[in-house]
Amino acid sequence: MSRIARALTIAGSDSGGGAGIQADLKTFQELGVYGMSAITAITVQNTLGVSNVYPLPPEAAAEQIEAVGSDLGVDALKTGMLFSAGIIDAVAERIRAFGWTRVVVDPVMIAKGGASLLQPEAVQAMKELLLPMAYIVTPNIPEAEALSGLSIRSMEDRREAAKRICGFGAQQVVIKGGHADSGDQVIDLFYDGAEFTELVGRRIPTRHTHGTGCTFSAALTAELANGTPALQAVGTARAFIQAAIEQELGLGQGHGPTNHFAYRRLQGAFR
């Protein structure tokens, strides 16, 4: 029997189930990967917003990572909400100690409703400690602005931001285009450190987009755990989140969660 691929998510818990650890584990499962977690913080949230954040001590994240890595093993991992410089330091140290290389950094900074999920002083720690070990970084445009120090208004700005983010040591970057004013299209920019690829998709007018960034990076991580090449993995992650947005669940009174069942169900329909 062949061994199943293993993916680890290091992120916060979302009580509403649309983002964070919950979205990541659902996505791993849907893509046939064994999911594991190290929780960094407990958020109190639903589709209307985040009402409180309870960060765990940095050693709690480090010990969870140690427990998983020393026993089950990790083929690829992603980081999500890390909240503080202390947690980033602890997480980076454990990743370095295990020598993991397929590391997806989703630089989660602000929740859909506007709540801060990363302390301002932690941005520098992310640049110095985590980005140098990233295989792929997956910022949206506001996150790319925070990491690069640029104001992004054009595709050329995005290209320069991608270069700067790779300049911190990251091997590749995907700057997601959901926040850009590009009409009925969403254009994601992939940079492999040498060449740019623009990936164009259809924009879906909906309020049910909570957890899109977490879900995208989790799908990317699952594909990398399966050994899929980077650009192909990005393509699958884009297809996964596109289906999750299109086949909306209609849950909640605010920014509702995406449909993590949709991609696999659509794949089954086409077989």
Side-chain angles (χ1 to χ4, degrees), residues 167-252:
F168 291 112
Q171 294 183 48
Q172 298 161 109
V173 62
V174 182
I175 299 182
K176 298 169 293 186
H179 287 75
D181 182 12
S182 52
D184 60 357
Q185 292 184 329
V186 174
I187 304 173
D188 297 332
L189 180 68
F190 175 75
Y191 179 55
D192 66 1
E195 297 183 354
F196 293 98
T197 304
E198 293 183 17
L199 304 162
V200 182
R202 183 168 64 92
R203 187 182 297 275
I204 309 299
T206 177
R207 63 181 172 85
H208 298 286
T209 56
H210 178 56
T212 50
C214 300
T215 300
F216 173 82
S217 59
L220 174 56
T221 304
E223 287 300 293
L224 293 176
N226 277 320
T228 306
L231 185 54
Q232 184 181 337
V234 169
T236 298
R238 295 181 77 254
F240 189 97
I241 194 59
Q242 186 76 15
I245 295 172
E246 287 180 349
Q247 307 294 318
E248 68 180 44
L249 296 170
L251 296 174

Side-chain angles (χ1 to χ4, degrees), residues 12 27 40 54 66 74 83 105 125 133 153 165 202 231 239 254 261:
T27 302
T40 58
Y54 297 94
E66 179 68 30
V74 173
F83 189 72
V105 175
M133 59 183 66
R153 297 292 178 268
I165 293 170
R202 183 168 64 92
L231 185 54
F261 307 117

Side-chain angles (χ1 to χ4, degrees), residues 55-69:
L56 296 181
E59 56 267 27
E63 289 173 17
Q64 291 174 82
I65 296 167
E66 179 68 30
V68 169

Side-chain angles (χ1 to χ4, degrees), residues 88 142 194:
I88 290 172

Side-chain angles (χ1 to χ4, degrees), residues 93-105:
E93 192 279 328
R94 285 294 83 203
I95 293 173
R96 186 182 306 108
F98 278 106
W100 292 324
T101 57
R102 277 179 278 193
V103 176
V104 176
V105 175

Side-chain angles (χ1 to χ4, degrees), residues 2 6 10 63 75 78 82 84 90 93 99-100 105 127 137 162 178 203 205 208 221-222 232 234 237 240 259 265:
S2 60
R6 305 151 297 176
I10 306 169
E63 289 173 17
D75 295 304
K78 63 156 287 189
L82 298 177
S84 70
E93 192 279 328
W100 292 324
V105 175
K127 292 178 184 178
V137 188
R203 187 182 297 275
H208 298 286
T221 304
Q232 184 181 337
V234 169
F240 189 97
N259 184 352
R265 289 178 176 175

